[in-house]
Amino acid sequence: MTVASTMTAAERENKMNGMLQAIMERRSIRKYNEKPVAEEQLSDILEAGRYAPTGGNCQTVHFVVITNARIREDLRARVQEAFSEMELSDDQYASIQNSIRLSRRGNYAFDYHAPILVVAANRKGYPNAVADSACALQNMMLEAESMGVGSCWINQLHWLDENPAIRDFLEPLGISNDETICGALALGNYDEKQPVKPRTGMRVDYIR
């Protein structure tokens, strides 16, 4: 069933100037320049994540923000080693297969060399851990888009959550042993967005 829009063209244009525009125009950035993200911008991006909705208002999402280049380089090396040791199989998620293949070639940057990596963790065993973290990361991506900062969702640390080498590296940085890594976010400035295929939007069914 198709429902005709009740908004005028002018009303839709005004709405597009706000949050909806950021949602529709945001794209994952996988190439960053060396220009640093301003501290004020990073602070606003993190605040957007900190005030995301959580199940039962638990607010247990924990962010670890890595801006130290040496630490990011060391983590990148550990992630590459972990994936290179994994077995490939036909039933794996395509992005995991790609991570394994690129790691075996020896030049895998899971974070795309972004100058900032935000790791989102939550309580182990908490049913809403991933959902709450996803809301927070999405908030941060949209806030970043609104100020012209690039972002990209990073799954690899979630996939390697139980890898001992990754846990041994992240726990001294603040991830506790009773937390699970739910996702991460690459952040940084970019020269210009690359052309991408326009989104058509996902299916919606109205039941009236």
Side-chain angles (χ1 to χ4, degrees), residues 79-95:
V79 168
Q80 177 176 280
E81 183 176 0
F83 276 112
S84 68
E85 294 173 350
M86 292 173 64
E87 294 294 329
L88 273 170
S89 63
D90 293 336
D91 60 349
Q92 282 173 323
Y93 179 43
S95 291

Side-chain angles (χ1 to χ4, degrees), residues 20-37:
L20 185 58
Q21 182 178 8
I23 292 171
M24 297 183 74
E25 292 184 355
R26 197 210 74 84
R27 292 294 186 273
S28 295
I29 301 298
R30 296 180 172 86
K31 186 176 181 180
Y32 300 88
N33 62 34
E34 296 182 359
K35 179 183 176 183
V37 174

Side-chain angles (χ1 to χ4, degrees), residues 33-114:
N33 62 34
E34 296 182 359
K35 179 183 176 183
V37 174
E39 287 292 334
E40 295 82 1
Q41 290 180 315
L42 178 57
S43 177
D44 286 348
I45 291 168
L46 292 170
E47 285 296 275
R50 291 182 63 236
Y51 285 89
T54 58
N57 199 30
C58 288
Q59 302 181 71
T60 53
V61 185
H62 171 207
F63 306 107
V64 174
V65 185
I66 306 174
T67 60
N68 182 287
R70 180 187 58 79
I71 291 175
R72 286 186 286 105
E73 183 179 350
D74 290 348
L75 178 57
R76 202 175 296 128
R78 289 193 180 222
V79 168
Q80 177 176 280
E81 183 176 0
F83 276 112
S84 68
E85 294 173 350
M86 292 173 64
E87 294 294 329
L88 273 170
S89 63
D90 293 336
D91 60 349
Q92 282 173 323
Y93 179 43
S95 291
I96 295 179
Q97 292 178 334
N98 189 53
S99 296
I100 295 172
R101 292 190 180 100
L102 291 174
S103 293
R104 290 179 177 179
R105 295 174 190 169
N107 190 28
Y108 182 48
F110 80 99
D111 62 344
Y112 306 106
H113 296 283

Side-chain angles (χ1 to χ4, degrees), residues 5-23:
S5 173
T6 59
M7 296 176 65
T8 66
E11 289 171 335
R12 180 167 180 79
E13 183 177 356
N14 287 337
K15 190 170 185 178
M16 281 292 292
N17 288 334
M19 183 56 69
L20 185 58
Q21 182 178 8
I23 292 171

